[in-house]
Amino acid sequence: MLKTIGSASLDELIEQAIPASIRLEKPLRLPEPLSEYHFVKEFRKIASRNRIFRNYIGMGYYETVTPAVIQRNILENPGWYTAYTPYQAEISQGRLEALINFQTMVIDLTGMEIANASLLDEATAAAEAMTLIRDTRKGARKKANRFFVSSLCFPQTIDVLRTRAEPLDIELIIDHPDNIDLTDGSLFGMLLQYPDGNGEIRDIAPLIAAANEQEVGVVVAADLMSLVLLRPPGEMGADVVVGSTQRFGVPLGYGGPHAAYFATRDAFKRQVPGRMIGVSVDSAGNPAFRMALQTREQHIRREKATSNICTAQVLLAVMAGAYAVYHGPEGLRRVASRIHALAKLAESGLDELGFPQRNPLYFDTLRIDAGSKEMQQRIREEAEKREMNFRYFEDEPLVGISFDQAKEPEDVDAVLAVFAAAARKKAPSSAGKRESITVSYPGTVARTSDFLTHPVFNTIHSEHEMLRYLKRLENKDISLAHSMISLGSCTMKLNATTEMLPVSWPELADIHPFAPDWQAEGYRRIIDDLSEWLCEITGFHALSMQPNSGAQGEYAGLLTIRNWQIARGEGHRDVTIIPSSAHGTNPASAVMAGMQVVITKCDDMGNIDLADLREKVEAYSDRLSALMVTYPSTHGVFEEDIREICAMIHEHGGQVYMDGANMNAQVGLTSPARIGADVCHLNLHKTFCIPHGGGGPGMGPIGVCEHLEPHLPGHFRLPNKKGAVSAAPYGSPSILAISYAYIRMMGAEALTQATRLAILNANYIMEQLREHYKPLYVGKKGRVGHEMIVELRDFRQPTGVDAIDVAKRLMDFGYHAPTVSFPVPGTMMIEPTESETKAELDRFCDAMITIRQEIAAIEAGRWDKEVNPLKMAPHTAQLVTAEDWDLPYTRHEAVYPRDWVAENKFWPSVGRIDEVYGDRNLMCSCPDPASYAAE
């Protein structure tokens, strides 16, 4: 490989690729690496320091039962967890169908018209709903800036809303819903919790009706499982319904990852944050799924985007949707009814013991009056002695007890035993009362409408059929289990099996995020060690694990800068400078952080235009807050002037935010602190091996210099109570084990070697393809970093071929396309990572070269510009096995363009999808096959 690229050694290549001024002078100081066997032994000891109690805390997090067929075939299956975001829909039909199931489940249970494919967590979904309501204000409310938040919402939701509202100049009114003044003309919307944060079910329909009459937008955060039995907010007139699907078979995981849901009216479909899956047709006129409408709209609208969300919790949404498929409507009714019955059974026994229950109506949560703070403390001591966690209210002597699917009648008796011991009474038995418990609600709140009526939710209830269904879906998707996915800026690398093992261990999966700290000492060790290692890798002083996506990390990093500047009396600094090549989430995040975005140009080599940057910096010197820069640049090049750029920003009072998307080219060789950055987010789902999961989960922790540490995100469960950006204190902690395992088994030397090999692989592909595709940008010494962009725009005029055609044709070779049309329209960005062998790199290059030869055949007139293997790609089995074949190339050329393709053929399940049709005829729930085909 070195001979091919013309370097005498790997060291020489690195010297040519990375400027000497920013290379690290000393090796990383990390623990000596462990073998896989010894890592598992060590990590089991760490995990065992977590104490698994029976959790009755509730507050939006519940024990659940993950069906084994779902755990083994989705959560633990690389065919699902190593797939990429379904931007190439033809080879993502399995995931897309699973997400349509998820959306249909949400639409049906909430009573709303449309839903997206999930968001990060319930609290951030509520914040996104608040901004949607603000952005769709009309009439007299057009300039209103106040948003009412029920004080009965979960505290983590209120915290995140406070953080989101302040930079956007939204004034929050946090009060009891009985005190809302809907005639206040400055009010644009409100948020209610249903059932409320204390577990009480209130009839919110009259309040929603009154809000509708006054044109005040209504957001309801609802427990999705409760909506199986309760009247859905959509039937009451809500504008947006949000919540969590965690209790649909997704483990607690100390707070995540879990899939939030977001459902709204059809009228707001173009303002929905994140991704929405829709139905279109393929080239043969057959129904096919795709991402619809505003998907990744921040790349198009940039600083005018309504949200910085560019991800979803796909793997967890797939699990939740599969849970609904497996149980069906009747199964969900059994689960929900049983949860409520256990709560009623406990209420009866507690009443017998003299402990009154304060919620007149409830689903799963009892609010028990202990009578005194002394009794509340005695109950706590007795509960913890029996390894049980309740919720203890601070202001009143109340105890919250939430039941869930994982509880049994015997658990009710265990709860009664705790209270009996605290009261020094004999515990009553629930056994004689179990048969007399009934599940019913008054007509004002009871659900009367059907849900999950589509056949997919009513036909797959045996494990055998469920296994086959999940396998059918899996077989429609390309993942890293099939071939290299060389997506630039996305770093699709090996997710080693040993790294993945601990995620399913009960010691990590079954911990409640609000459990006492002394029960989570294993997690504390994981978080502390990983923070220390990542600080060593980045050169930073401190780290926050709270942001649970890359975009969330960007937002958190900019808020940290903003809060530091406010504390210094420089709150007037409100300009963020962003290169034109930046990832689209950068400007969107800046706007969310209350910044004005100023774009600086890039030169012909893809570097930041220093003259233009200097002009912008000087023009906005008094207002400069930050520069957002990706390094190596989004164009795949280590810019020689990066330290001068950072110094320029500091000279004018600003801070440097480094986007960590390309850290895979830095680890062990340079670092964000070394180049002069003050803040950096780390995509743990890129550089540090958390799988992409088909489009999530992810983690985006931020590292900061010492002066910024006091301004990192807080949480009501942390010493710093203010500034939460995610619902859980540590984002999605259960998947931190993956990055922990990666670093612990690699060690300093191997991590550095991985970076060197990533750079080698990218330069090797560039040289292999150079005669066929022109590299768009290279460094001063002719090298690229860990990724590179190839020019495809030259083919458009003579052949009609564009980047999308090349992407679709690669499917016929069994490859997912590299990044298409970003950051430069009409190009491809290729990132092979360090994980791929030379043989796999050569196969990919062979595919690209063959496609170039096919383009040459169009140039030579052998094939028509509109009818050729690229324009007709991808080719399905149905197409090539049909009796009629009237295309000007052979069936063999269509599906076996190289002999090696036949050895392990991946068949796209649909032909090329009509994107325009799907947007004009938006359908975001499971289509009825007969009626859809007829239409």
Side-chain angles (χ1 to χ4, degrees):
M1 292 172 73
L2 288 165
K3 183 178 179 182
T4 298
I5 67 174
S7 282
S9 68
L10 201 49
D11 287 338
E12 180 182 281
L13 170 63
I14 298 305
E15 289 171 5
Q16 294 167 344
I18 304 179
S21 62
I22 63 166
R23 288 202 292 273
L24 296 179
E25 297 169 354
K26 296 178 181 179
L28 297 173
R29 293 170 298 173
L30 295 170
E32 287 297 308
L34 292 178
S35 69
E36 294 189 344
Y37 173 75
H38 287 100
F39 165 75
V40 171
K41 288 186 70 174
E42 177 185 275
F43 201 72
R44 279 205 178 275
K45 291 179 182 177
I46 294 171
S48 69
R49 295 170 62 180
N50 288 333
R51 300 186 61 182
I52 304 174
F53 280 29
R54 295 297 273 168
N55 287 298
Y56 299 83
I57 299 171
M59 297 177 69
Y61 300 93
Y62 308 89
E63 292 179 7
T64 184
V65 177
T66 307
V69 67
I70 292 175
Q71 176 171 322
R72 177 60 60 89
N73 292 286
I74 298 177
L75 179 62
E76 298 174 350
N77 182 352
W80 284 96
Y81 67 67
T82 71
Y84 183 60
T85 306
Y87 294 124
Q88 297 294 340
E90 293 84 354
I91 49 175
S92 307
Q93 287 296 295
R95 254 166 305 138
L96 290 165
E97 181 173 334
L99 291 174
I100 279 281
N101 292 345
F102 174 86
Q103 290 179 181
T104 303
M105 171 188 82
V106 171
I107 289 168
D108 281 11
L109 288 174
T110 61
M112 298 305 291
E113 293 168 329
I114 58 170
N116 73 4
S118 78
L119 290 177
L120 299 174
D121 57 41
E122 179 172 331
T124 52
E128 294 286 344
M130 174 180 70
T131 54
L132 180 145
I133 295 296
R134 182 202 61 177
D135 294 340
T136 55
R137 294 168 295 186
K138 292 181 179 178
R141 307 278 175 175
K142 185 80 174 164
K143 296 183 179 180
N145 73 324
R146 305 178 87 198
F147 187 73
F148 184 94
V149 179
S150 168
S151 56
L152 301 177
C153 290
F154 292 134
Q156 65 270 25
T157 300
I158 295 174
D159 279 4
V160 169
L161 284 168
R162 281 196 179 107
T163 304
R164 283 286 188 96
E166 195 269 333
L168 300 175
D169 292 326
I170 295 174
E171 181 186 345
L172 293 188
I173 307 167
I174 303 170
D175 201 349
H176 195 283
D178 289 346
N179 299 329
I180 189 171
D181 178 9
L182 293 171
T183 64
D184 179 357
S186 65
L187 193 68
F188 68 83
M190 67 176 179
L191 170 68
L192 305 173
Q193 190 93 40
Y194 179 73
D196 72 26
N198 297 331
E200 182 177 346
I201 298 170
R202 296 166 177 267
D203 183 6
I204 58 175
L207 181 55
I208 293 175
N212 288 341
E213 197 171 306
Q214 294 291 330
E215 296 185 325
V216 173
V218 180
V219 181
V220 178
D223 181 324
L224 202 64
M225 185 64 78
S226 76
L227 300 185
V228 171
L229 303 178
L230 302 180
R231 186 183 177 193
E235 294 180 9
M236 304 179 204
D239 295 294
V240 187
V241 186
V242 299
S244 173
T245 61
Q246 179 265 317
R247 66 194 312 171
F248 280 59
V250 180
L252 286 166
Y254 201 39
H258 307 138
Y261 71 84
F262 188 106
T264 187
R265 300 177 183 274
D266 182 75
F268 299 144
K269 58 177 174 278
R270 294 190 181 276
Q271 284 79 34
V272 173
R275 299 173 183 150
M276 189 154 50
I277 310 305
V279 185
S280 188
V281 293
D282 74 354
S283 53
N286 298 314
F289 303 109
R290 57 180 281 277
M291 293 202 292
L293 290 178
Q294 75 300 320
T295 293
R296 227 174 187 181
E297 55 99 30
Q298 73 275 3
H299 280 303
I300 301 166
R301 303 191 69 219
R302 300 179 72 79
E303 68 272 15
K304 295 178 182 172
T306 56
S307 169
N308 73 341
I309 294 294
C310 79
T311 189
Q313 297 280 27
V314 170
L315 190 69
L316 300 315
V318 167
M319 288 179 66
Y323 180 96
V325 168
Y326 193 40
H327 285 80
E330 289 307 313
L332 290 183
R333 285 191 186 96
R334 284 194 297 273
V335 170
S337 297
R338 189 173 174 279
I339 290 169
H340 180 56
L342 289 172
K344 290 188 72 172
L345 195 61
E347 178 187 35
S348 175
L350 289 167
D351 183 64
E352 195 174 325
L353 283 169
F355 291 100
Q357 200 280 120
R358 298 302 185 200
N359 287 337
L361 285 178
Y362 56 85
F363 169 56
D364 60 1
T365 298
L366 308 176
R367 189 162 43 122
I368 305 301
D369 191 339
S372 68
K373 295 297 283 186
E374 179 188 4
M375 178 58 76
Q376 185 191 52
Q377 180 59 27
R378 280 164 54 185
I379 291 168
R380 180 171 195 152
E381 290 169 1
E382 290 293 340
E384 291 180 350
K385 201 184 298 181
R386 292 165 169 79
E387 300 191 337
M388 298 159 69
N389 288 326
F390 300 149
R391 178 185 179 185
Y392 304 97
F393 290 76
E394 292 183 7
D395 300 334
E396 300 177 86
L398 300 174
V399 180
I401 304 174
S402 295
F403 286 88
D404 52 55
Q405 186 193 5
K407 301 300 189 293
E408 302 288 344
E410 291 74 21
D411 292 302
V412 172
D413 289 333
V415 169
L416 298 179
V418 167
F419 281 80
R424 297 181 175 87
K425 295 181 179 180
K426 182 181 178 182
S429 171
S430 68
K433 303 174 184 176
R434 294 173 189 175
E435 300 301 321
S436 62
I437 295 293
T438 58
V439 176
S440 63
Y441 288 105
T444 53
V445 298
R447 180 169 197 131
T448 57
S449 55
D450 290 335
F451 58 92
L452 303 187
T453 57
H454 190 274
V456 74
F457 298 105
N458 292 278
T459 53
I460 309 172
H461 305 317
S462 74
E463 180 171 332
H464 210 162
E465 283 303 310
M466 190 66 184
L467 171 67
R468 288 169 174 163
Y469 178 64
L470 294 178
K471 182 57 68 172
R472 285 198 300 274
L473 295 186
E474 179 193 341
N475 288 344
K476 296 178 181 181
D477 286 7
I478 272 188
S479 70
L480 283 175
H482 297 92
S483 55
M484 175 173 72
I485 301 180
S486 56
L487 285 145
S489 193
C490 294
T491 316
M492 296 290 292
K493 63 200 290 183
L494 170 68
N495 312 119
T497 306
T498 302
E499 295 163 9
M500 301 300 299
L501 288 176
V503 174
S504 299
W505 292 356
E507 295 91 338
L508 297 186
D510 295 344
I511 307 294
H512 194 287
F514 304 149
D517 291 343
W518 55 269
Q519 294 175 19
E521 290 180 0
Y523 265 116
R524 185 71 264 161
R525 167 75 184 275
I526 293 166
I527 291 166
D528 286 349
D529 283 356
L530 186 55
S531 296
E532 180 182 333
W533 300 341
L534 292 174
C535 282
E536 172 65 15
I537 288 167
T538 59
F540 284 131
H541 175 76
L543 198 101
S544 169
M545 289 291 185
Q546 192 174 133
N548 50 6
S549 79
Q552 195 85 317
E554 293 173 17
Y555 174 65
L558 291 172
L559 283 185
T560 301
I561 292 171
R562 182 178 186 271
N563 292 336
W564 174 73
Q565 288 168 339
I566 290 172
R568 286 164 53 89
E570 296 185 332
H572 61 278
R573 292 189 174 273
D574 64 348
V575 168
T576 295
I577 297 177
I578 301 176
S580 59
S581 64
H583 194 278
T585 56
N586 285 184
S589 295
V591 170
M592 285 174 56
M595 301 292 177
Q596 177 185 332
V597 173
V598 173
I599 302 298
T600 189
K601 299 174 185 175
C602 290
D603 62 22
D604 293 340
M605 297 299 291
N607 301 311
I608 292 175
D609 186 319
L610 279 183
D612 186 65
L613 176 64
R614 188 171 287 109
E615 181 183 313
K616 298 287 187 353
V617 168
E618 291 174 355
Y620 294 99
S621 180
D622 293 341
R623 295 174 55 198
L624 179 62
S625 175
L627 168 76
M628 297 187 81
V629 60
T630 302
Y631 200 76
S633 74
T634 312
H635 293 142
V637 176
F638 285 93
E639 299 186 45
E640 299 277 344
D641 301 317
I642 187 63
R643 298 191 78 175
E644 180 183 346
I645 289 169
C646 293
M648 188 192 308
I649 301 302
H650 291 142
E651 182 185 339
H652 289 266
Q655 296 282 281
V656 176
Y657 177 93
M658 197 202 90
D659 186 311
N662 293 341
M663 271 299 295
N664 212 50
Q666 287 198 40
V667 178
L669 299 177
T670 183
S671 72
R674 179 71 173 164
I675 72 169
D678 301 286
V679 188
C680 171
H681 87 263
L682 300 170
N683 296 96
L684 299 189
H685 50 288
K686 295 183 181 181
T687 305
F688 297 97
C689 288
I690 292 175
H692 281 63
M699 277 289 276
I702 54 171
V704 297
C705 292
E706 186 172 2
H707 64 280
L708 294 174
E709 181 183 9
H711 306 282
L712 286 169
H715 193 278
F716 80 92
R717 291 277 303 170
L718 297 175
N720 174 16
K721 305 292 184 187
K722 297 180 180 178
V725 296
S726 299
Y730 305 105
S732 297
S734 69
I735 55 175
L736 293 177
I738 302 166
S739 297
Y740 184 103
Y742 172 61
I743 296 174
R744 189 68 183 92
M745 290 188 286
M746 289 284 277
E749 186 178 346
L751 286 172
T752 305
Q753 181 71 350
T755 310
R756 288 148 57 99
L757 292 176
I759 294 171
L760 170 66
N761 285 358
N763 281 277
Y764 176 72
I765 286 182
M766 180 177 70
E767 292 303 328
Q768 288 283 68
L769 298 181
R770 186 183 287 275
E771 292 182 16
H772 311 277
Y773 302 92
K774 182 178 76 176
L776 197 57
Y777 302 114
V778 296
K780 288 185 178 179
K781 296 179 181 177
R783 301 301 185 193
V784 294
H786 65 311
E787 63 188 4
M788 50 98 175
I789 300 174
V790 295
E791 180 65 88
L792 299 176
R793 292 170 294 184
D794 296 344
F795 306 136
R796 180 71 182 172
Q797 186 61 37
T799 68
V801 169
D802 58 24
I804 294 297
D805 299 319
V806 176
K808 303 307 181 190
R809 182 57 170 154
L810 274 169
M811 297 176 190
D812 290 326
F813 291 80
Y815 280 107
H816 192 295
T819 302
V820 176
S821 295
F822 173 80
V824 181
T827 66
M828 274 189 168
M829 183 161 58
I830 304 170
E831 180 183 357
T833 82
E834 73 278 10
S835 300
E836 302 299 342
T837 62
K838 179 178 180 295
E840 180 68 356
L841 300 181
D842 287 340
R843 274 191 294 272
F844 173 77
C845 289
D846 189 30
M848 289 292 289
I849 292 167
T850 302
I851 290 172
R852 178 63 186 93
Q853 292 166 350
E854 292 178 341
I855 294 172
I858 302 170
E859 289 173 317
R862 179 185 160 200
W863 288 325
D864 180 78
K865 282 187 177 183
E866 296 300 324
V867 184
N868 58 65
L870 284 90
K871 289 291 184 184
M872 303 304 291
H875 299 83
T876 64
Q878 291 83 356
L879 176 67
V880 297
T881 56
E883 286 190 24
D884 297 325
W885 180 264
D886 58 359
L887 298 175
Y889 49 92
T890 68
R891 299 174 199 251
H892 193 277
E893 286 175 310
V895 298
Y896 299 131
R898 299 293 289 169
D899 289 342
W900 52 263
V901 175
E903 296 171 10
N904 188 29
K905 176 67 179 174
F906 179 89
W907 290 97
S909 55
V910 297
R912 190 176 300 201
I913 294 172
D914 187 332
E915 305 285 347
V916 175
Y917 180 94
D919 280 352
R920 288 178 177 169
N921 304 274
L922 185 64
M923 181 186 295
C924 296
S925 58
C926 295
D928 174 65
S931 63
Y932 189 83
E935 181 185 333

